PDB file of all heavy atoms in Angstrom:
ATOM      1  N   HIS Y 186      25.143  33.065 -22.307  1.00  0.00           N
ATOM      2  CA  HIS Y 186      26.368  32.896 -21.456  1.00  0.00           C
ATOM      3  C   HIS Y 186      26.424  31.638 -20.618  1.00  0.00           C
ATOM      4  O   HIS Y 186      25.942  30.564 -21.166  1.00  0.00           O
ATOM      5  CB  HIS Y 186      26.595  34.180 -20.704  1.00  0.00           C
ATOM      6  CG  HIS Y 186      26.995  35.362 -21.587  1.00  0.00           C
ATOM      7  ND1 HIS Y 186      26.132  36.058 -22.309  1.00  0.00           N
ATOM      8  CD2 HIS Y 186      28.169  35.974 -21.733  1.00  0.00           C
ATOM      9  CE1 HIS Y 186      26.706  37.007 -22.949  1.00  0.00           C
ATOM     10  NE2 HIS Y 186      27.986  36.992 -22.593  1.00  0.00           N
ATOM     11  N   ASP Y 221      21.683  25.968 -13.591  1.00  0.00           N
ATOM     12  CA  ASP Y 221      22.788  26.327 -14.471  1.00  0.00           C
ATOM     13  C   ASP Y 221      24.194  26.219 -13.793  1.00  0.00           C
ATOM     14  O   ASP Y 221      25.124  26.237 -14.466  1.00  0.00           O
ATOM     15  CB  ASP Y 221      22.622  27.640 -15.084  1.00  0.00           C
ATOM     16  CG  ASP Y 221      21.438  27.735 -15.973  1.00  0.00           C
ATOM     17  OD1 ASP Y 221      21.561  27.388 -17.272  1.00  0.00           O
ATOM     18  OD2 ASP Y 221      20.334  28.153 -15.563  1.00  0.00           O
ATOM     19  N   MET Y 328      28.600  20.958 -30.798  1.00  0.00           N
ATOM     20  CA  MET Y 328      27.909  21.999 -30.219  1.00  0.00           C
ATOM     21  C   MET Y 328      28.424  23.344 -30.494  1.00  0.00           C
ATOM     22  O   MET Y 328      29.640  23.536 -30.407  1.00  0.00           O
ATOM     23  CB  MET Y 328      28.011  21.917 -28.626  1.00  0.00           C
ATOM     24  CG  MET Y 328      27.992  20.405 -28.106  1.00  0.00           C
ATOM     25  SD  MET Y 328      28.493  20.292 -26.483  1.00  0.00           S
ATOM     26  CE  MET Y 328      27.074  20.561 -25.589  1.00  0.00           C
ATOM     27  N   TRP Y 358      22.058  28.477 -29.370  1.00  0.00           N
ATOM     28  CA  TRP Y 358      22.866  27.388 -29.391  1.00  0.00           C
ATOM     29  C   TRP Y 358      22.403  26.321 -30.456  1.00  0.00           C
ATOM     30  O   TRP Y 358      21.230  26.281 -30.710  1.00  0.00           O
ATOM     31  CB  TRP Y 358      22.933  26.800 -28.098  1.00  0.00           C
ATOM     32  CG  TRP Y 358      23.296  27.585 -26.856  1.00  0.00           C
ATOM     33  CD1 TRP Y 358      22.296  28.140 -26.138  1.00  0.00           C
ATOM     34  CD2 TRP Y 358      24.528  27.885 -26.357  1.00  0.00           C
ATOM     35  NE1 TRP Y 358      23.021  28.991 -25.158  1.00  0.00           N
ATOM     36  CE2 TRP Y 358      24.310  28.741 -25.328  1.00  0.00           C
ATOM     37  CE3 TRP Y 358      25.984  27.533 -26.758  1.00  0.00           C
ATOM     38  CZ2 TRP Y 358      25.434  29.292 -24.511  1.00  0.00           C
ATOM     39  CZ3 TRP Y 358      26.947  28.089 -25.893  1.00  0.00           C
ATOM     40  CH2 TRP Y 358      26.749  28.825 -24.883  1.00  0.00           C
ATOM     41  N   PHE Y 390      31.854  28.058 -23.508  1.00  0.00           N
ATOM     42  CA  PHE Y 390      31.235  27.777 -22.179  1.00  0.00           C
ATOM     43  C   PHE Y 390      31.207  26.196 -21.942  1.00  0.00           C
ATOM     44  O   PHE Y 390      31.223  25.449 -22.900  1.00  0.00           O
ATOM     45  CB  PHE Y 390      29.750  28.267 -22.234  1.00  0.00           C
ATOM     46  CG  PHE Y 390      29.700  29.695 -22.262  1.00  0.00           C
ATOM     47  CD1 PHE Y 390      29.570  30.427 -23.499  1.00  0.00           C
ATOM     48  CD2 PHE Y 390      29.800  30.525 -21.056  1.00  0.00           C
ATOM     49  CE1 PHE Y 390      29.663  31.849 -23.565  1.00  0.00           C
ATOM     50  CE2 PHE Y 390      29.794  31.941 -21.100  1.00  0.00           C
ATOM     51  CZ  PHE Y 390      29.679  32.534 -22.387  1.00  0.00           C
ATOM     52  N   PRO Y 391      31.237  25.794 -20.673  1.00  0.00           N
ATOM     53  CA  PRO Y 391      31.041  24.434 -20.298  1.00  0.00           C
ATOM     54  C   PRO Y 391      29.526  24.040 -20.498  1.00  0.00           C
ATOM     55  O   PRO Y 391      28.637  24.828 -20.369  1.00  0.00           O
ATOM     56  CB  PRO Y 391      31.457  24.350 -18.927  1.00  0.00           C
ATOM     57  CG  PRO Y 391      31.302  25.751 -18.311  1.00  0.00           C
ATOM     58  CD  PRO Y 391      31.377  26.727 -19.489  1.00  0.00           C
ATOM     59  N   HIS Y 392      29.455  22.767 -20.810  1.00  0.00           N
ATOM     60  CA  HIS Y 392      27.950  22.184 -20.945  1.00  0.00           C
ATOM     61  C   HIS Y 392      27.863  20.846 -20.316  1.00  0.00           C
ATOM     62  O   HIS Y 392      28.821  19.986 -20.352  1.00  0.00           O
ATOM     63  CB  HIS Y 392      27.626  22.092 -22.361  1.00  0.00           C
ATOM     64  CG  HIS Y 392      27.742  23.376 -23.111  1.00  0.00           C
ATOM     65  ND1 HIS Y 392      26.684  24.258 -22.977  1.00  0.00           N
ATOM     66  CD2 HIS Y 392      28.580  23.804 -24.004  1.00  0.00           C
ATOM     67  CE1 HIS Y 392      27.052  25.413 -23.724  1.00  0.00           C
ATOM     68  NE2 HIS Y 392      28.228  25.142 -24.337  1.00  0.00           N
ATOM     69  N   ALA Y 393      26.719  20.581 -19.593  1.00  0.00           N
ATOM     70  CA  ALA Y 393      26.460  19.314 -19.012  1.00  0.00           C
ATOM     71  C   ALA Y 393      25.521  18.430 -19.731  1.00  0.00           C
ATOM     72  O   ALA Y 393      24.346  18.640 -19.587  1.00  0.00           O
ATOM     73  CB  ALA Y 393      26.054  19.570 -17.505  1.00  0.00           C
ATOM     74  N   MET Y 394      25.959  17.584 -20.523  1.00  0.00           N
ATOM     75  CA  MET Y 394      25.105  16.902 -21.446  1.00  0.00           C
ATOM     76  C   MET Y 394      24.517  15.675 -20.720  1.00  0.00           C
ATOM     77  O   MET Y 394      25.217  14.777 -20.159  1.00  0.00           O
ATOM     78  CB  MET Y 394      25.913  16.298 -22.733  1.00  0.00           C
ATOM     79  CG  MET Y 394      26.222  17.417 -23.602  1.00  0.00           C
ATOM     80  SD  MET Y 394      24.746  18.219 -24.350  1.00  0.00           S
ATOM     81  CE  MET Y 394      24.072  16.896 -25.263  1.00  0.00           C
ATOM     82  N   CYS Y 441      21.539  19.700 -23.063  1.00  0.00           N
ATOM     83  CA  CYS Y 441      22.402  20.298 -21.974  1.00  0.00           C
ATOM     84  C   CYS Y 441      21.549  20.518 -20.830  1.00  0.00           C
ATOM     85  O   CYS Y 441      20.432  20.991 -20.946  1.00  0.00           O
ATOM     86  CB  CYS Y 441      22.989  21.622 -22.527  1.00  0.00           C
ATOM     87  SG  CYS Y 441      23.983  22.373 -21.265  1.00  0.00           S
ATOM     88  N   HIS Y 442      22.075  20.124 -19.605  1.00  0.00           N
ATOM     89  CA  HIS Y 442      21.351  20.337 -18.325  1.00  0.00           C
ATOM     90  C   HIS Y 442      21.504  21.662 -17.770  1.00  0.00           C
ATOM     91  O   HIS Y 442      21.068  21.941 -16.681  1.00  0.00           O
ATOM     92  CB  HIS Y 442      21.568  19.116 -17.379  1.00  0.00           C
ATOM     93  CG  HIS Y 442      20.371  18.712 -16.659  1.00  0.00           C
ATOM     94  ND1 HIS Y 442      19.742  19.585 -15.708  1.00  0.00           N
ATOM     95  CD2 HIS Y 442      19.615  17.717 -16.616  1.00  0.00           C
ATOM     96  CE1 HIS Y 442      18.612  18.908 -15.217  1.00  0.00           C
ATOM     97  NE2 HIS Y 442      18.571  17.730 -15.764  1.00  0.00           N
ATOM     98  N   MET Y 443      22.276  22.586 -18.464  1.00  0.00           N
ATOM     99  CA  MET Y 443      22.201  23.925 -18.113  1.00  0.00           C
ATOM    100  C   MET Y 443      20.885  24.324 -18.785  1.00  0.00           C
ATOM    101  O   MET Y 443      20.709  24.441 -19.890  1.00  0.00           O
ATOM    102  CB  MET Y 443      23.395  24.685 -18.633  1.00  0.00           C
ATOM    103  CG  MET Y 443      24.595  24.764 -17.780  1.00  0.00           C
ATOM    104  SD  MET Y 443      25.716  23.573 -18.307  1.00  0.00           S
ATOM    105  CE  MET Y 443      27.049  23.739 -17.308  1.00  0.00           C
ATOM    106  N   LEU Y 444      19.906  24.546 -17.895  1.00  0.00           N
ATOM    107  CA  LEU Y 444      18.483  24.611 -18.431  1.00  0.00           C
ATOM    108  C   LEU Y 444      18.285  25.844 -19.271  1.00  0.00           C
ATOM    109  O   LEU Y 444      17.532  25.847 -20.315  1.00  0.00           O
ATOM    110  CB  LEU Y 444      17.450  24.562 -17.295  1.00  0.00           C
ATOM    111  CG  LEU Y 444      17.564  23.273 -16.466  1.00  0.00           C
ATOM    112  CD1 LEU Y 444      16.568  23.327 -15.388  1.00  0.00           C
ATOM    113  CD2 LEU Y 444      17.320  22.040 -17.320  1.00  0.00           C
ATOM    114  N   SER Y 445      19.179  26.859 -19.053  1.00  0.00           N
ATOM    115  CA  SER Y 445      19.046  28.023 -20.031  1.00  0.00           C
ATOM    116  C   SER Y 445      19.551  27.631 -21.368  1.00  0.00           C
ATOM    117  O   SER Y 445      19.028  28.129 -22.334  1.00  0.00           O
ATOM    118  CB  SER Y 445      19.953  29.159 -19.523  1.00  0.00           C
ATOM    119  OG  SER Y 445      19.579  29.579 -18.092  1.00  0.00           O
ATOM    120  N   HIS Y 446      20.611  26.778 -21.396  1.00  0.00           N
ATOM    121  CA  HIS Y 446      21.122  26.419 -22.780  1.00  0.00           C
ATOM    122  C   HIS Y 446      20.109  25.480 -23.487  1.00  0.00           C
ATOM    123  O   HIS Y 446      19.900  25.519 -24.608  1.00  0.00           O
ATOM    124  CB  HIS Y 446      22.465  25.683 -22.564  1.00  0.00           C
ATOM    125  CG  HIS Y 446      23.575  26.495 -22.037  1.00  0.00           C
ATOM    126  ND1 HIS Y 446      24.798  26.088 -21.623  1.00  0.00           N
ATOM    127  CD2 HIS Y 446      23.583  27.905 -21.843  1.00  0.00           C
ATOM    128  CE1 HIS Y 446      25.469  27.116 -21.198  1.00  0.00           C
ATOM    129  NE2 HIS Y 446      24.761  28.281 -21.314  1.00  0.00           N
ATOM    130  N   GLN Y 447      19.473  24.629 -22.642  1.00  0.00           N
ATOM    131  CA  GLN Y 447      18.490  23.697 -23.214  1.00  0.00           C
ATOM    132  C   GLN Y 447      17.357  24.465 -23.841  1.00  0.00           C
ATOM    133  O   GLN Y 447      16.951  24.310 -24.940  1.00  0.00           O
ATOM    134  CB  GLN Y 447      17.845  22.867 -22.147  1.00  0.00           C
ATOM    135  CG  GLN Y 447      16.794  21.999 -22.556  1.00  0.00           C
ATOM    136  CD  GLN Y 447      16.037  21.271 -21.574  1.00  0.00           C
ATOM    137  OE1 GLN Y 447      15.536  20.101 -21.654  1.00  0.00           O
ATOM    138  NE2 GLN Y 447      15.797  21.890 -20.449  1.00  0.00           N
ATOM    139  N   MET Y 451      19.890  23.869 -27.119  1.00  0.00           N
ATOM    140  CA  MET Y 451      20.673  22.731 -26.873  1.00  0.00           C
ATOM    141  C   MET Y 451      19.881  21.453 -26.522  1.00  0.00           C
ATOM    142  O   MET Y 451      19.911  20.886 -25.405  1.00  0.00           O
ATOM    143  CB  MET Y 451      21.722  22.898 -25.844  1.00  0.00           C
ATOM    144  CG  MET Y 451      22.899  23.823 -26.183  1.00  0.00           C
ATOM    145  SD  MET Y 451      24.318  23.784 -25.188  1.00  0.00           S
ATOM    146  CE  MET Y 451      25.512  23.907 -26.326  1.00  0.00           C
TER     147      MET Y 451
HETATM  148 CU1   CU K 502      25.068  24.066 -21.876  1.00  0.00          CU
END
Side-chain angles (χ1 to χ4, degrees):
H186 290 74
D221 297 274
M328 320 166 88
W358 307 91
F390 292 93
H392 300 287
M394 286 298 293
C441 180
H442 219 291
M443 275 97 173
L444 298 178
S445 303
H446 296 169
Q447 175 193 214
M451 291 193 138

